[in-house]
Amino acid sequence: MTKSKTKQISRRTVLELSLAGAAGLTAGTGLAFGATEAAVSLETEFRSHFGQLGYKTTEPLGLLTGDRFNGGLRYDETLEIPVSGNSLVVQPAARIDDAARHQEAGVLALFTICGLRQSEPIEHRSLFANMLNFLVEKAKLDPARLVFVSTEAFSPYAETNDMVRAGRTLLRPMNEAKAAGDGSGFFAPKDHPAGPGYHSVSIHYPLAARTSDELVYPLAGHLEIADIGITPPEQPESALELGGIGLERLAFAATSVMPSFEDSRQDLLDCLKAEAERDGKPLPKGYEIFAAR
């Protein structure tokens, strides 16, 4: 697959944007840390596509949380107090466990989640369908190569969606998925300050053209692209649906181009220092973990 050139924004710009209160992002037109052209383009497409569907943009949260969880760094786009209406956010995040996984394909120190919150669903299960359509129709992922990992709660989705049937599905035991809480069947990270806990499906895409016919979780040779909340058939329909797409991983799946872990690590450290200085906060343990790698 042909590689495209990367589009970089200087670290001086990163610091200036962070100090301006943008939480590591521009005012809505692209990433403020080193990013591929594909990632910038997909972010713009994400904002435009879901904006036209009625999702209003909300401001991203800061990278510094003040919590012990995840070394004091922003883990994901989860809000402690949900907002009303349908909204989207482009949220920078970092996970301290990734410091030791720096040699794995698709792992970055600083990454971006394109998140959706739908508190007024027009149609039950519509968020999942909308996000899957975006991955296939806008990001041009091949539906036949998609792998969906969830539990029996995902069965109604698999039975009614042609794009799910085109790919492959791996169902984990419910008790296993809940114990892990990693989003592949159930999202409930241990000690997460917002205490999320909901049934979910993760969407994966292979790194190579050919993969094994056998599906075993965790999926070797695959990138996890998205994590989307679902409602099991025995549960009353919920008014809240939410999900997130890993922007850099989606761009990587589409183009085979990814920023280096080292570049993303330096971007993370720069953004954390700028945010700490701007807000008068101490640098957390998570900063030390990535600085020492």
Side-chain angles (χ1 to χ4, degrees):
M1 190 173 292
T2 302
K3 292 186 177 182
S4 66
K5 296 180 181 179
T6 58
K7 178 178 181 180
Q8 301 289 340
I9 299 176
S10 71
R11 303 202 189 288
R12 179 180 179 83
T13 302
V14 171
L15 293 172
E16 289 173 348
L17 289 167
S18 295
L19 289 169
L25 293 171
T26 66
T29 55
L31 305 171
F33 52 90
T36 65
E37 292 179 353
V40 174
S41 177
L42 282 169
E43 185 213 348
T44 301
E45 185 68 45
F46 173 80
R47 292 178 183 273
S48 173
H49 178 75
F50 287 102
Q52 292 176 19
L53 293 179
Y55 291 80
K56 295 182 179 179
T57 300
T58 57
E59 291 300 316
L61 302 168
L63 283 167
L64 302 176
T65 65
D67 301 312
R68 286 189 178 183
F69 175 72
N70 195 41
L73 305 183
R74 183 68 53 193
Y75 185 83
D76 64 358
E77 81 282 20
T78 301
L79 294 176
E80 292 189 23
I81 302 176
V83 297
S84 61
N86 298 339
S87 63
L88 67 86
V89 65
V90 178
Q91 177 65 56
R95 297 179 181 177
I96 58 174
D97 290 345
D98 288 342
R101 301 174 57 213
H102 61 277
Q103 293 183 330
E104 296 181 25
V107 174
L108 295 174
L110 178 62
F111 60 93
T112 315
I113 301 171
C114 292
L116 295 177
R117 308 181 190 101
Q118 184 170 291
S119 62
E120 301 170 357
I122 299 173
E123 182 181 351
H124 190 42
R125 304 187 186 123
S126 61
L127 183 65
F128 171 79
N130 286 339
M131 295 186 77
L132 182 55
N133 287 343
F134 178 81
L135 296 178
V136 173
E137 295 177 5
K138 300 299 182 179
K140 305 303 182 183
L141 297 189
D142 182 355
R145 302 181 69 197
L146 295 173
V147 179
F148 303 86
V149 181
S150 189
T151 65
E152 285 295 334
F154 184 63
S155 295
Y157 295 77
E159 294 167 359
T160 59
N161 191 296
D162 289 341
M163 283 187 281
V164 175
R165 290 197 294 267
R168 296 191 290 170
T169 298
L170 173 62
L171 299 183
R172 305 171 70 187
M174 184 68 75
N175 58 348
E176 175 188 304
K178 284 190 173 183
D182 58 7
S184 293
F186 201 82
F187 185 75
K190 184 179 179 182
D191 299 325
H192 193 300
Y198 55 84
H199 296 272
S200 62
V201 56
S202 56
I203 302 178
H204 305 249
Y205 204 69
L207 290 165
R210 299 186 64 179
T211 58
S212 171
D213 291 334
E214 183 181 10
L215 292 179
V216 178
Y217 187 81
L219 297 174
H222 288 72
L223 285 174
E224 182 176 338
I225 301 294
D227 182 356
I228 307 172
I230 60 175
T231 303
E234 71 277 4
Q235 181 177 314
E237 294 186 7
S238 172
L240 175 65
E241 296 181 341
L242 66 167
I245 296 170
L247 180 61
E248 293 83 6
R249 290 190 173 193
L250 177 58
F252 186 31
T255 66
S256 297
V257 179
M258 188 98 168
S260 72
F261 182 91
E262 183 55 34
D263 283 349
S264 75
R265 184 183 77 93
Q266 191 58 58
D267 289 331
L268 172 63
L269 298 178
D270 288 347
C271 286
L272 291 175
K273 285 190 291 186
E275 188 175 324
E277 181 178 348
R278 181 197 68 206
D279 296 341
K281 296 179 179 179
L283 289 169
K285 181 180 179 180
Y287 177 90
E288 300 172 4
I289 291 172
F290 280 103
R293 193 203 65 77

